[in-house]
Amino acid sequence: MDYSEVGYILNLSVGNGYSIDEAADVKYKVLDNGNVRASILLDGDEDIRDSEFNNYKDFSLKCSDEGCQITDMLDSYGDSALQAVELACR
């Protein structure tokens, strides 16, 4: 794994060259495992409600009374940014 793969996982929008500023809509939901999913809809994208919609990132959180911190980010393939960074920096 190289740094470009790490960058891909860390990009909020999924591998399409768009920035999050170009998103038409972003929807958030808490998953059964406690992670938060950000689904990013870009102009011309497929329907965000479609079961095949895969333009999303999942965020693993560690929360306390003071708030929450992101501990990891996973792409729609389940690849962990934290693991990718650890592998790339060895």
Side-chain angles (χ1 to χ4, degrees):
M1 178 168 295
D2 63 25
Y3 290 112
S4 65
E5 292 178 61
V6 172
Y8 169 78
I9 296 170
L10 290 172
N11 285 334
L12 186 53
S13 57
V14 179
N16 52 22
Y18 288 95
S19 90
I20 194 60
D21 295 335
E22 297 172 276
D25 194 10
V26 180
K27 301 229 184 274
Y28 301 94
K29 76 175 185 176
V30 178
L31 303 174
D32 291 341
N33 63 4
N35 288 352
V36 173
R37 176 165 292 168
S39 297
I40 303 102
L41 180 67
L42 299 164
D43 287 332
D45 250 349
E46 65 270 21
D47 187 348
I48 200 167
R49 293 172 299 276
D50 187 341
S51 63
E52 298 296 315
F53 184 84
N54 68 353
N55 197 6
Y56 64 83
K57 296 291 175 134
D58 291 348
F59 297 89
S60 175
L61 305 174
K62 180 179 181 182
C63 298
S64 68
D65 291 339
E66 289 82 40
C68 295
Q69 291 185 329
I70 296 171
T71 58
D72 199 3
M73 183 167 47
L74 300 103
D75 65 14
S76 58
Y77 304 105
D79 295 325
S80 159
L82 185 61
Q83 289 178 347
V85 168
E86 288 173 352
L87 285 173
C89 294
R90 287 188 181 168

